[in-house]
Amino acid sequence: MSNSSSTNTLLLAARIVLSIMFVMSGFQKLVDPSGTAGMIAGAGLPAATLLAYLAGVFELVAGLAILTGFQTRIAALLLAVFCWFTAFVFHNGAINIPSFSPEANGLLTVFNGLIFWKNVSLGGGFLALAAAGAGAYSIDARRRGSVAFAA
């Protein structure tokens, strides 16, 4: 990978954009885990509230790691797996809420399919970040001593 300023700026921009959703979502799960716990219970997983809190902590910590460029390759690989897991466990298939009309369930199924592919795509973005690394504007680079930050 090139050490050019433009490459490092693009990697920083990618880290910011990829991290925002996870930082916000993780924080939201910690403040109010009920919606996530409901989805987890609906998927048949045990200890839904505990898992919602754990997901919140994971998303917040991993998102902040990506944002700051700390242990970026590891965090990116973990987030890729997390994205694919959530895609296949929570967003794979038709929605059928008995009290909803067929049209409403159809629309929800379309949205669920979009979220499925969003998660699959995010996983691919995290794989690319894992391969490229955080770039020069990161804690990882500073720890390696490969970039000098102005005091």
Side-chain angles (χ1 to χ4, degrees), residues 14-62:
R15 290 192 350 254
I16 291 168
V17 172
L18 285 168
S19 69
I20 291 170
M21 179 174 61
F22 292 93
V23 171
M24 292 174 61
S25 178
F27 179 76
Q28 180 60 39
K29 283 177 179 69
L30 294 174
V31 171
D32 181 12
S34 61
T36 301
M39 284 186 66
I40 291 170
L45 297 173
T49 300
L50 174 64
L51 288 177
Y53 278 116
L54 290 174
V57 169
F58 172 76
E59 288 182 35
L60 182 61
V61 170

Side-chain angles (χ1 to χ4, degrees), residues 62-130:
L64 289 171
I66 295 296
L67 179 65
T68 62
F70 177 73
Q71 297 292 325
T72 306
R73 293 177 193 269
I74 294 167
L77 287 173
L78 291 173
L79 279 164
V81 170
F82 180 82
C83 287
W84 295 328
F85 174 81
T86 59
F88 283 97
V89 172
F90 300 109
H91 302 293
N92 190 18
I95 302 292
N96 186 16
I97 300 171
S99 61
F100 283 21
S101 70
E103 295 80 9
N105 280 320
L107 184 59
L108 289 173
T109 297
V110 168
F111 288 153
N112 202 42
L114 291 171
I115 294 169
F116 173 89
W117 287 111
K118 177 223 25 138
N119 285 10
V120 170
S121 299
L122 277 170
F126 283 120
L127 280 187
L129 187 59

